[in-house]
């Protein structure tokens, strides 16, 4: 029998299926008489639609239906999270419709849909649709879009402003900045990213005319939420008439949290066809044009403090590009999830942020791995380096002086995270930042950097070292907070687990969370195996179907291991309690006298009198001899609402070499010491860190979505959008400190986003450090060869 | 990402393929498909018929010609070239081939397809330019030999005529008194070269290099021979000085990855690096 696997690096049980082609993704599902959908997308970034002629397309071979926006009678997609916080904040809301009706706001917005017998026929017919567009002027830059004279996207949003949101104590921060000995100012761009999950999105709509019920298979992180949004807010159908199924999901990184237009298109198309299934699969090109992008901030930063390195204030103004219309929680990302954590792991007394959400002729921006927190970490970690340079202090030393001390937890930060959270009191619950930093510095050989720099110079290279001492808000979130006006998306955010123990003691667990490759089927089995004292092999973990799983809010925000696992532990506790009561009955003892040791239930003091979990399950399942009042069967559900978020932290150190001749940046060493609390499966934790680090480094060095001024997406495919490649990375040296989270019973914190949050700033700081000899203070990302070389050239020019 | 409808025929022989091309204006050959299929999926190419020459073994493989030169069949894949012992003697091929595309692309992509496609940034053309290769092309009625230096005529445009199939590429035989190398700075998304330079250099006699040929890709409208660099070297200039002529007379390309200024600069850097590496191989 397998022994207790909690905390062990067990191989992932889903991998045999997933890496041998046995996974079942949306596109693997083929239903009887299924039709195929293709969506015609706007070639213009901004245009009025004068007319659409679909007659020729309708006459094409195999075409079953052609729909335009006015054929779809439902509401526009919902905005679930307007920016709030300041009293009565106006949000000028425009969200997409299933298909655009009057105008298009970005290249790639859907304007018509063809349904045909085959995907080929559907694609062919797209070319026969004639749309008469009236092109309009475009703007793609968030700051420029707010300037007088900029093209206007929406009548209800003067100067293209969605909201102008503030957080923190303005007067106090202004005074602290005015009084400071040293103030460093910098304009910082956090460039737009394309998330690139391996599996693009896709869905199948199926309407059953017999029962008037809808089913949708979707590559989604949130099937239960989609049921609410689609049924109640968009289509106006009873919630129980819609079933949402997410089969295997091949990566998501946030992009699959949201409510997308194509869901509505396939459901409605199926209804129009009298119940034929309709499948739509997103091409990579469409994914780039019509699934959410991430980041895209322009920030004016001011950091103030003393010459001795005491930071007294941070003041920022950020323009957040939200795209041509709003995605489901777009406004929530640059407000609550960004500005409320701007002070990071530092005891900065005064923080004030103004965030202006802006419409531009680009695809919408929403949560992408880290969602707001990478943007905040990038700003504060660049700020620390800029300030250290200004006062001539070692950046590690500056951080050390400003860390929140370990005895100051729980810590309430000055960006109002605690007070604005609807009575939930979101405070930083725990942390011990210095040991993690010291460990990372030692591993990186930080003390010997001057020598290494000199040695690199002899090879025509400029070496730089960069730190990122990050914290993260994980385990979202207390429902009180997420339901507080303007702070959350007006929903709850608890989690659920159901455990059924079958006749033979085999266990089926159904969860409200939704994996996208993270290995939940393994980690939940480890947790529940530990709780029930049974081998992992006896447990199967299921998810993904609103019909077969308890209501849950899905997986994102590094919440599954802390919130989901706690629900699972609580369900297991209920199972154990009932098993114990039944064991007492079987053993003719009182419940208090039954002690549980793994899968053994025995009478205290009489070790021979015992029943195994399997024996109890068998007996209780048959219920031939159940006592009065006890229900047969072991089947328990738990719903768990977390009292707080969790707060991983750590220090990442990057060492880079810049080639003097070409500006090429080589990442030569990478060290990460992360404190994610206790680990359910260390190997999976490492995997999350590896992927996250690579993604964050991708932003620092290579990735960037580039729109031309006319709104054409120039980085429109993988030929022009640079994804990180394994060969460009050194071995990632990982280590840990362990500060268990006090929030949940196993002391886990979450790790899905940590790598991506930390690594961008570490690498950017390293490159900026390498460029110090050129008098360069700050260079925006991506730090491509060309960008770095040009910066070196212009400073050489300036010195000459 | 679904191509427009097309017909597909598998050629049974080279003559069969040539006859089909001659009979049908809308026909195009497909070899490894690594360039033509992506274009078709984007509907940027819409051949009515694809004539598949991929299985014509007569066009595969590397052999030594009686005159000592080396003939590479047009359908020889990158992977086959990497594994070939004769080609293993060419330093510039050893440098370049393993970095072209990925394993799948190297297993499918052919040398003939690479040059017929005439992508202004692909690597093989620069190499063949530096080697002074010859392209052998056949039509249904004739065979001709095209010097590589007059093969590339523009972006995705070559001297190949409709109805012609490249049958082989001829390289000079390897020489011990010649060193060669390939040096490139890659566009990180596509892996194609922002500037890729193939250099062949002959052993010095006295204070002059015996031979110098430099092929450049990714920089101009099409891959080219950097004749100004070669002249400077022949005139006795240092490698570093000669390299500054990398883009003389060339209209340098500009895109979101590298503008004209940067590309001009890195072309010179790669010319210098390729020449230095080639010279170092002379031992
Ligand atoms: C992911 C990816 C990465 C790549 N990376 C690189 C890279 O780093 N560097 C690089 O240089 N290239 C790169 N390539 C391009 C690759 O080298 C070429 O696609 C390949 O060599 C073309 O050969 P093929 O046999 O696949 O040609 P095909 O795609 O079959 O044909 C291409 C064109 O050539 C014509 N053609 C083919 N064979 C002949 C012939 N014998 N006679 C006449 N016409 C012919 C076809 O009609 C077609 O027009 C990459 C391609 C991909 C898909």
């Amino acid at each position: 029998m397998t022994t207790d696997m909690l905390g062990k690096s067990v191989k992932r049980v889903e991998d045999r299926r997933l890496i041998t082609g046995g996974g079942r993704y949306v596109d693997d599902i083929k239903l009887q008489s299924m039709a195929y959908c293709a969506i015609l997308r706007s070639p213009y970034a901004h245009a009025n639609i004068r007319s659409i002629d679909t007659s020729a397309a309708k006459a094409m071979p195999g075409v079953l239906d052609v729909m335009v926006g006015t054929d779809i009678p439902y509401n526009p997609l919902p905005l679930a999270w307007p920016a709030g916080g300041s009293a009565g904040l106006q949000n000028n809301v425009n969200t997409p419709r299933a298909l655009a009706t009057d105008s298009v706001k970005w290249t790639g917005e859907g304007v018509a849909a063809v349904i045909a017998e085959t995907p080929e026929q559907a694609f062919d017919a797209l070319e026969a649709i004639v749309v008469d567009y009236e092109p309009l002027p475009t703007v793609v830059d968030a700051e420029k879009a707010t300037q007088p004279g900029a093209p206007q996207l929406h009548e209800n949003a003067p100067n293209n402003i969605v909201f102008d949101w503030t957080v923190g104590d303005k007067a106090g921060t202004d005074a602290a900045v005015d009084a400071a000995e040293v103030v460093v100012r910098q304009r910082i761009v956090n460039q737009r990213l394309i998330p690139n999950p391996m599996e693009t999105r896709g869905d199948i709509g199926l309407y059953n005319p017999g029962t008037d019920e809808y089913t949708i298979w979707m590559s989604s992180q949130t099937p239960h939420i989609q049921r609410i949004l689609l049924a109640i807010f968009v289509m106006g159908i009873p919630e129980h008439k819609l079933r949402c199924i997410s089969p295997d999901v091949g990566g998501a990184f946030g992009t699959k949290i949201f409510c997308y237009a194509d869901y509505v298109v396939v459901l409605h198309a199926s209804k129009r066809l009298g119940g034929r299934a309709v499948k739509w699969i997103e091409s990579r090109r469409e994914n780039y044009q019509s699934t959410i992008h991430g980041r895209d901030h322009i920030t004016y930063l001011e950091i103030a403090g003393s010459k001795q390195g005491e930071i007294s204030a941070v003041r920022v103004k950020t323009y957040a590009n939200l795209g041509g219309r709003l995605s489901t929680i777009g406004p929530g990302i640059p407000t609550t999830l960004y500005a409320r954590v701007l002070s990071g792991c530092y005891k900065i007394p005064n923080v004030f942020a103004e965030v202006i959400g802006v419409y531009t002729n680009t695809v919408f921006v929403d949560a992408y791995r880290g969602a707001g927190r990478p943007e905040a970490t990038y700003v504060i970690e660049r700020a620390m380096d800029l300030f250290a340079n200004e006062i001539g202090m070692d950046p590690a030393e500056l951080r050390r002086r400003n860390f929140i001390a370990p005895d100051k937890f729980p810590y309430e930060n000055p960006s109002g995270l605690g007070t604005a959270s609807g009575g939930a009191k979101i405070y930083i619950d725990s942390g011990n930042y210095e040991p993690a930093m010291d460990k990372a510095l030692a591993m990186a050989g930080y003390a010997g950097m001057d020598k290494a720099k000199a040695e690199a110079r002899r090879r025509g290279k400029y070496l730089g070292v960069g730190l990122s001492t990050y914290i993260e808000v994980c385990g979202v979130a207390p429902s009180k907070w997420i339901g507080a006006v303007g702070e959350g998306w007006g929903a709850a955010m608890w989690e659920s687990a159901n455990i059924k123990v079958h006749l033979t003691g085999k266990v089926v667990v159904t969860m409200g969370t939704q994996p996208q490759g993270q290995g939940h089927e393994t980690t939940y089995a480890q947790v529940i195996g530990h709780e029930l004292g049974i081998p992992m092999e006896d447990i199967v973990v299921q998810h993904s179907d609103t019909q077969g799983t308890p209501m849950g809010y899905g997986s994102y925000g590094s919440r599954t291991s802390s919130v989901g696992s706690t629900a699972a532990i609580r369900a297991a506790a209920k199972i154990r309690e009932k098993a114990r009561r039944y064991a007492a009955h079987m053993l003719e003892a009182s419940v208090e006298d039954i002690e549980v040791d793994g899968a053994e239930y025995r009478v205290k003091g009489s070790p021979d009198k015992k029943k195994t979990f399997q024996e109890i399950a068998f007996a209780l399942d048959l219920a031939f001899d159940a006592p009065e009042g006890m229900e047969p069967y072991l089947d328990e559900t738990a719903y768990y609402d977390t009292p707080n978020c969790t707060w991983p932290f750590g220090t990442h150190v990057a060492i880079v070499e810049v080639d003097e001749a070409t500006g090429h940046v080589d990442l030569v060493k990478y060290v990460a010491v992360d404190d994610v609390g206790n680990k359910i499966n260390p190997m999976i934790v490492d995997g999350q860190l590896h992927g996250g680090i690579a993604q964050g480094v991708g932003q620092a060095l290579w990735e960037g979505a580039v729109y031309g001024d006319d709104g054409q997406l120039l980085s429109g495919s993988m030929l022009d959008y640079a994804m990180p490649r394994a060969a460009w990375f050194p071995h990632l040296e990982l280590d840990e400190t362990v500060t268990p989270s006090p929030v949940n019973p196993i002391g886990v914190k979450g790790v899905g986003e940590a790598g991506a949050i930390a690594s961008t700033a570490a690498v950017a700081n390293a490159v900026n450090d390498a460029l110090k000899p050129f008098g360069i203070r700050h260079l925006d990302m991506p730090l491509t060869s060309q960008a770095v070389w040009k910066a070196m050239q212009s400073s050489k020019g300036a010195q000459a | 990402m679904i191509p427009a409808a097309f017909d597909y025929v598998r050629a049974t022989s080279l003559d069969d393929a040539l006859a089909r091309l001659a009979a049908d204006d809308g026909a195009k050959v497909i070899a490894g498909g690594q360039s033509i299929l992506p274009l078709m999926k984007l509907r940027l190419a819409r051949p009515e018929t694809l004539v598949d020459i991929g299985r014509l073994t007569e066009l595969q493989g590397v052999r030594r010609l009686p005159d000592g030169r080396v003939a590479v069949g047009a359908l020889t894949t990158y992977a086959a070239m990497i594994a070939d012992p004769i080609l293993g003697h060419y330093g510039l091929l050893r440098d370049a081939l393993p970095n072209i595309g990925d394993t799948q692309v190297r297993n499918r992509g052919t040398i003939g397809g690479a040059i017929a496609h005439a992508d202004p940034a692909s690597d093989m053309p620069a190499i063949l330019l530096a080697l002074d290769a010859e392209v052998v092309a056949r039509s249904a009625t004739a065979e001709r030999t095209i010097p590589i230096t007059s093969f590339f005529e523009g972006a995705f445009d070559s001297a190949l005529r409709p109805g012609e199939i490249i049958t082989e590429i001829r390289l000079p035989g390897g020489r011990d008194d010649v060193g060669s190398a390939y040096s490139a700075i890659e566009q990180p998304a596509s892996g194609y070269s922002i500037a890729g330079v193939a250099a062949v250099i002959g052993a010095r006699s006295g204070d002059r290099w015996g031979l110098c040929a430099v092929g450049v890709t990714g920089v101009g409208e099409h891959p080219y021979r950097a004749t100004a660099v070669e002249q400077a070297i022949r005139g006795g200039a240092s490698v570093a000085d000669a390299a500054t002529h990398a883009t003389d007379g060339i209209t340098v390309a500009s895109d979101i990855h590298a503008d004209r200024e940067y590309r001009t600069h890195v072309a010179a850097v790669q010319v210098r690096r390729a020449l230095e590496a080639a010279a170092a191989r002379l031992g």
Side-chain angles (χ1 to χ4, degrees):
Chain A
M1 197 177 96
T2 330
T3 50
D4 192 347
M5 287 295 163
L6 188 66
K8 307 244 166 67
S9 289
V10 184
K11 278 196 186 166
R12 306 189 343 155
V13 299
E14 47 274 85
D15 279 352
R16 201 167 73 101
R17 170 175 104 241
L18 296 178
I19 67 180
T20 59
R24 191 169 145 90
Y25 300 92
V26 168
D27 202 18
D28 294 318
I29 296 169
K30 297 196 168 55
L31 302 175
Q32 204 176 11
S33 71
M34 188 161 72
Y36 296 84
C37 171
I39 295 174
L40 183 70
R41 300 190 177 279
S42 167
Y44 292 102
H46 197 189
N48 288 324
I49 300 173
R50 288 206 196 94
S51 64
I52 306 179
D53 182 353
T54 61
S55 51
K58 281 181 173 151
M60 299 269 293
V63 171
L64 300 165
D65 194 8
V66 180
M67 299 194 297
V68 297
T70 47
D71 292 325
I72 301 178
Y74 308 123
N75 293 325
L77 302 180
L79 173 69
W81 192 349
S86 321
L89 186 75
Q90 171 79 20
N91 279 242
N92 302 319
V93 177
N94 298 277
T95 58
R97 306 192 73 92
L99 294 167
T101 48
D102 306 323
S103 65
V104 290
K105 303 299 181 192
W106 76 90
T107 50
E109 185 165 11
V111 295
V114 175
I115 321 299
E117 295 286 354
T118 70
E120 292 79 8
Q121 290 167 333
F123 268 84
D124 285 348
L126 288 185
E127 296 180 339
I129 299 174
V130 183
V131 186
D132 183 7
Y133 292 103
E134 176 195 354
L136 297 170
T138 55
V139 61
V140 298
D141 174 288
E143 188 177 11
K144 286 184 189 153
T146 63
Q147 306 301 311
Q152 299 292 300
L153 271 71
H154 300 283
E155 265 173 30
N156 70 347
N159 299 319
N160 299 311
I161 291 175
V162 185
F163 57 79
D164 187 341
W165 178 90
T166 63
V167 69
D169 171 9
K170 181 167 184 348
T173 305
D174 288 351
V177 172
D178 290 344
E181 277 180 337
V182 182
V183 182
V184 183
R185 299 185 166 84
Q186 183 62 50
R187 182 181 193 267
I188 291 180
V189 177
N190 193 305
Q191 84 273 28
R192 179 182 279 250
L193 300 178
I194 302 177
N196 275 301
M198 210 185 294
E199 181 205 21
T200 58
R201 295 190 313 98
D203 24 80
I204 305 170
L206 178 65
Y207 174 71
N208 181 339
T211 59
D212 199 25
E213 285 170 0
Y214 295 85
T215 302
I216 184 167
W217 286 260
M218 54 195 348
S219 186
S220 171
Q221 299 169 244
T222 54
H224 288 279
I225 294 182
Q226 293 320 311
R227 176 167 61 178
I228 295 172
L229 296 180
L230 287 167
I232 302 170
F233 292 93
V234 182
M235 298 173 71
I237 57 174
E239 195 187 344
H240 63 292
K241 294 283 188 185
L242 175 63
R243 174 179 175 191
C244 297
I245 305 171
S246 273
D248 283 328
V249 175
F253 308 125
T255 64
K256 298 175 182 176
I257 300 173
F258 312 114
C259 189
Y260 283 101
D262 39 273
Y263 298 158
V264 188
V265 170
V266 295
L267 286 169
H268 191 59
S270 177
K271 180 164 194 184
R272 277 167 63 108
L273 290 180
R276 284 186 69 171
V278 175
K279 177 191 273 189
W280 171 78
I281 295 293
E282 185 183 55
S283 70
R284 182 64 61 183
R285 203 156 270 254
E286 284 180 291
N287 181 263
Y288 274 35
Q289 293 191 340
S290 58
T291 281
I292 65 109
H293 290 176
R295 320 283 188 254
D296 206 343
H297 288 189
I298 297 168
T299 293
Y300 289 87
L301 157 77
E302 295 164 286
I303 179 166
S306 73
K307 288 180 179 153
Q308 285 71 44
E310 209 174 313
I311 307 295
S312 55
V314 166
R315 187 165 63 187
V316 306
K317 177 173 186 174
T318 294
Y319 294 89
N321 194 339
L322 297 175
R325 307 185 199 271
L326 301 178
S327 171
T328 314
I329 62 169
I333 308 307
T335 53
T336 298
L337 290 180
Y338 162 73
R340 291 218 184 274
V341 291
L342 257 175
S343 50
C345 53
Y346 309 111
K347 52 176 189 209
I348 302 171
N350 300 288
V351 175
F352 178 77
E354 177 181 13
V355 180
I356 302 170
V358 185
Y359 288 114
T360 65
N361 297 112
T362 60
V363 71
F364 33 37
V365 175
D366 209 318
Y368 167 49
R369 201 171 192 171
R373 291 148 294 161
E375 295 90 317
T377 303
Y378 183 62
V379 167
I380 191 65
E381 290 303 299
R382 281 297 299 133
M384 293 307 276
D385 269 34
L386 287 163
F387 196 89
N389 283 348
E390 187 72 23
I391 63 171
M393 182 177 281
D394 180 283
E397 181 56 29
L398 181 70
R399 284 171 169 79
R400 198 182 298 286
R401 290 191 185 191
N402 289 279
F403 278 149
I404 302 162
D407 60 358
K408 291 286 188 292
F409 297 97
Y411 178 86
E412 199 173 318
N413 84 3
S415 328
L417 202 52
T419 46
S421 47
K425 285 279 174 201
I426 304 297
Y427 48 82
I428 305 178
D429 62 13
S430 60
N432 192 3
Y433 304 135
E434 252 188 291
M437 184 171 79
D438 286 335
K439 197 171 201 176
L441 294 178
M443 286 166 68
Y446 191 74
M449 279 305 143
D450 286 347
K451 244 169 89 184
K453 284 181 181 178
E455 186 275 327
R457 285 293 300 117
R458 289 195 286 277
R459 291 182 282 115
K461 309 277 185 190
Y462 287 87
L463 185 142
V465 57
L467 303 187
S468 174
T469 50
Y470 75 99
I471 59 165
E472 194 192 345
V473 194
C474 282
V476 290
S479 296
K480 271 186 194 156
W481 173 36
I482 233 64
V485 175
E487 288 306 312
W489 58 359
M493 215 162 269
W494 40 258
E495 250 338 305
S496 62
N498 171 271
I499 301 179
K500 289 185 173 64
V501 186
H502 292 307
L503 188 75
T504 56
K506 304 289 186 213
V507 171
V508 177
V509 181
T510 48
M511 300 295 305
T513 51
Q514 167 64 48
Q516 311 119 46
Q518 296 94 331
H520 296 179
E521 292 165 33
T522 307
T523 49
Y524 281 136
Q526 288 178 265
V527 169
I528 293 166
H530 171 80
E531 292 296 319
L532 297 180
I534 59 175
M536 280 178 71
E537 294 80 354
D538 284 1
I539 302 165
V540 63
V541 178
Q542 298 176 342
H543 39 75
S544 316
D545 185 343
T546 54
Q547 192 167 83
T549 63
M551 168 72 202
Y553 285 88
S555 291
Y556 42 84
S558 303
R559 66 192 303 268
T560 302
S561 66
S562 60
V563 190
S565 294
T566 305
I569 287 169
R570 294 194 166 199
K574 290 186 182 179
I575 293 278
R576 221 173 30 232
E577 201 36 47
K578 187 167 176 187
R580 190 165 163 241
R581 276 194 285 130
Y582 196 65
H585 170 70
M586 291 170 87
L587 295 165
E588 296 174 342
S590 72
V591 178
E592 296 71 47
D593 284 343
I594 301 293
E595 57 183 16
V596 184
D597 179 14
E600 256 180 33
Y601 293 68
R602 22 171 217 254
V603 180
K604 275 183 209 156
S606 330
D608 293 347
K609 292 186 71 181
K610 62 183 180 196
K611 291 286 174 193
T612 66
F613 182 70
Q614 286 77 8
E615 286 169 330
I616 299 165
F618 184 80
L620 195 46
D621 191 301
L622 292 175
F624 294 161
D625 180 32
E628 199 69 21
M630 184 180 281
E631 291 177 10
Y633 209 56
L634 284 167
D635 178 347
E636 299 289 347
T637 302
Y639 294 87
Y640 171 71
D641 200 2
T642 184
N644 193 358
C645 298
T646 55
W647 305 83
F649 61 86
T651 296
H652 289 212
V653 185
I655 299 177
V656 300
E657 285 184 5
V658 175
D659 179 15
E660 185 173 12
T662 62
H664 179 79
V665 177
D666 204 6
L667 180 61
V668 295
K669 191 175 175 76
Y670 199 94
V671 167
V673 176
D674 294 283
D675 192 320
V676 300
N678 292 331
K679 297 174 182 174
I680 297 169
N681 183 323
M683 182 184 69
I684 289 180
V685 168
D686 284 357
Q688 288 293 322
L689 286 169
H690 286 159
I693 289 168
Q695 235 163 347
V697 175
Q699 170 164 31
L701 296 182
W702 307 295
E703 294 186 43
V706 182
Y707 278 99
D709 287 337
D710 58 357
Q712 294 301 319
L713 182 59
L714 301 178
S715 55
S717 77
M718 284 190 183
L719 274 178
D720 286 302
Y721 186 88
M723 296 293 294
R725 298 178 192 210
W728 301 340
F729 286 80
H731 174 66
L732 303 175
E733 299 168 42
L734 306 184
D735 209 329
E736 62 175 10
T737 61
V738 180
T739 311
S741 169
V743 171
N744 55 65
I746 35 179
V748 298
K749 295 179 183 173
V751 68
E753 297 157 301
I757 288 173
S759 66
T760 306
V763 172
N765 279 341
V767 176
N768 280 289
D769 182 53
L771 296 178
K772 244 198 294 188
F774 294 87
I776 295 163
R777 238 171 57 132
H778 173 81
L779 197 56
D780 281 325
M781 305 181 293
L783 297 159
T784 61
S785 306
Q786 167 169 288
V788 170
W789 180 78
K790 291 214 161 188
M792 295 192 295
Q793 284 318 102
S794 59
S795 83
K796 271 183 191 161
Q799 284 161 9
Chain B
M1 304 289 262
I2 294 180
F6 61 92
D7 286 329
Y8 171 88
V9 286
R10 184 178 295 158
T12 53
S13 66
L14 177 60
D15 288 339
D16 177 42
L18 289 168
R20 287 177 186 276
L21 288 184
D24 181 355
D25 281 351
K28 251 188 134 10
V29 297
I30 178 169
Q34 298 303 293
S35 286
I36 195 165
L37 289 180
L39 284 181
M40 288 170 63
K41 285 183 174 183
L42 295 172
R43 301 196 170 202
L44 294 172
R46 295 168 171 251
E48 282 162 32
T49 305
L50 280 185
V51 178
D52 188 350
I53 58 171
R55 301 192 188 195
L56 302 182
T57 43
E58 54 197 295
L59 299 186
Q60 291 167 9
V62 180
R63 68 204 159 94
R64 200 173 282 283
L65 298 172
D67 63 5
R69 290 189 299 163
V70 173
V72 184
L75 287 174
T76 311
T77 62
Y78 293 115
M81 287 193 276
I82 290 170
D84 186 82
I86 299 177
L87 297 184
H89 290 295
Y90 296 77
L92 77 185
L93 288 175
R94 290 200 305 276
D95 292 340
L97 292 174
N99 292 315
I100 293 177
D102 48 36
T103 305
Q104 292 92 321
V105 171
R106 292 193 293 271
N107 280 340
R108 300 285 308 174
T110 65
I111 184 170
I115 61 170
H117 189 58
D119 187 313
S122 81
D123 298 301
M124 219 53 217
I127 291 166
L128 298 180
L129 281 163
L131 288 173
D132 256 325
E134 275 177 6
V135 179
V136 182
R138 278 253 296 272
S139 69
T141 52
E143 178 177 284
R144 62 180 180 130
T145 303
I146 312 165
I148 192 80
T149 42
S150 51
F151 186 83
F152 300 106
E153 297 186 336
F156 306 101
D157 191 13
S158 76
L160 214 58
R161 297 180 192 132
E164 278 185 327
I165 288 178
I166 300 172
T167 54
E168 69 184 22
I169 289 100
R170 295 189 184 139
L171 312 178
R175 277 166 49 178
D176 290 340
D177 60 345
V178 168
S180 73
Y182 189 73
S183 178
I185 181 159
E186 281 186 0
Q187 194 261 70
S190 68
Y192 283 84
S193 294
I194 285 174
V197 176
V200 176
I201 201 157
R204 270 175 186 269
S205 65
D207 61 349
R208 295 292 154 94
W209 297 102
L211 162 90
C212 175
V214 177
V216 180
T217 191
V219 176
E221 229 181 321
H222 57 77
Y224 64 91
R225 274 281 286 268
T227 47
V229 174
E230 297 169 6
Q231 270 163 22
I233 291 281
R234 280 199 292 274
S238 69
V239 163
D241 285 343
T244 61
H245 297 288
T247 54
D248 284 8
I250 298 297
T251 306
V252 175
S254 175
D255 59 28
I256 59 170
H257 306 285
D259 64 14
R260 193 152 290 150
E261 181 196 12
Y262 182 66
R263 216 183 223 100
T264 303
H265 168 73
V266 288
V269 172
Q270 298 309 328
V271 166
R272 175 171 59 73
R273 288 182 175 173
L275 282 168
E276 284 170 357
R281 285 201 171 122
L282 282 168

